Amino acid sequence: MIEVTFVGTGSALPPIGHGTTVFTVQTEDILFLADAGPTAFDGLQRAGIEPAEIDAIFLSHGHADHVLGFPQLVLQAKLEPKDPPLKVFCTAQVREIVHTIVKLTFPEAYDTLGAFQWIELAEGPRQTNDLTDNIQLATQIVFGPPYMPVLGLRLDFLDKGIALAFSADTAPSDELASLATGCDLLIHEASFSAMLQPDVSPEMFFHSDARQAGQIAARAGVKQLALVHLNQLHSNHRRVLTAEAAESFKGTILVPDDGDRIDLET
């Protein structure tokens, strides 16, 4: 089992009824969380996932809609300590941000941060870490704002020959296409729509539209593309987003709802 749960699928200004973009990957060996926006804790519970059971967290960057739920996870860890300790994969900048947020919001849980296993990620070329004996985590800087470096993520399930990639806030880039090459699933942001917002240049905001997400998916040769990080305009226009991505990408295109699940082994 390699089960991906789309805990939340919205942007910082999400559609009604959607949380900020968060997803989990669960195998027989690990429960992995990607990003921890302000709706993460509630979204996990709504999806039937116990926050206390999370083994490892990846934080792509320090924007509020990607880290403001982290203090609740720290408080949970204080109430129910884990052994082995929770692993947190992030850059030094993000670690400083979340430490500050926890100290300001839940000072009584601040000491819990010292019990976590922090794995510092570089703000540069591809870096790999072993998540488990059979799962390799790779990260690489992508085209995000210079004041807030963003890391793309790739998970390779080495014993099963399956891989997935994730782009948080990012404009299209060669780095992201390279990171996602050959993946079974690319979870890519679609903060904008070329059809619904023709006068907006996503790159000016260091984001992508659904058409650009499709182009990256096609370049990377992935099997499935999931469009997330949706804005308020997108809730009733999923066919538009799918059509945009399908201009370039001929594989399976998903525009998941919060709580949707897929098993990459089926």
Side-chain angles (χ1 to χ4, degrees), residues 11 21 35 58 60-61 63 65-66 140-153 165-180 186-192 201-217 219 225-229:
S11 64
T21 292
D35 279 343
F58 165 73
S60 62
H61 65 295
H63 275 159
D65 57 314
H66 296 264
Q140 185 167 340
I141 196 165
V142 292
F143 188 8
Y147 53 84
M148 183 67 72
V150 181
L151 294 181
L153 169 73
F166 168 53
S167 113
D169 298 7
T170 178
S173 68
D174 293 339
E175 291 78 11
L176 178 57
S178 174
L179 185 66
L186 170 59
I187 302 171
H188 195 294
E189 69 128 286
S191 299
F192 296 95
S201 176
E203 296 94 333
M204 291 184 63
F205 300 94
F206 300 100
H207 283 291
S208 302
D209 59 36
R211 180 175 295 165
Q212 292 168 324
Q215 292 168 350
I216 291 294
R219 288 176 58 191
L225 169 65
L227 301 174
V228 296
H229 210 264

Side-chain angles (χ1 to χ4, degrees), residues 213-235:
Q215 292 168 350
I216 291 294
R219 288 176 58 191
V222 303
K223 295 179 181 177
Q224 298 184 81
L225 169 65
L227 301 174
V228 296
H229 210 264
L230 310 182
N231 71 36
Q232 296 158 307
L233 295 176
H234 294 159
S235 57

Side-chain angles (χ1 to χ4, degrees), residues 91-108:
T91 65
Q93 182 195 49
V94 173
R95 179 175 179 175
E96 182 178 353
I97 288 170
V98 296
H99 271 65
T100 300
I101 294 171
V102 172
K103 190 171 185 177
L104 290 173
T105 56
F106 287 127
E108 64 273 24

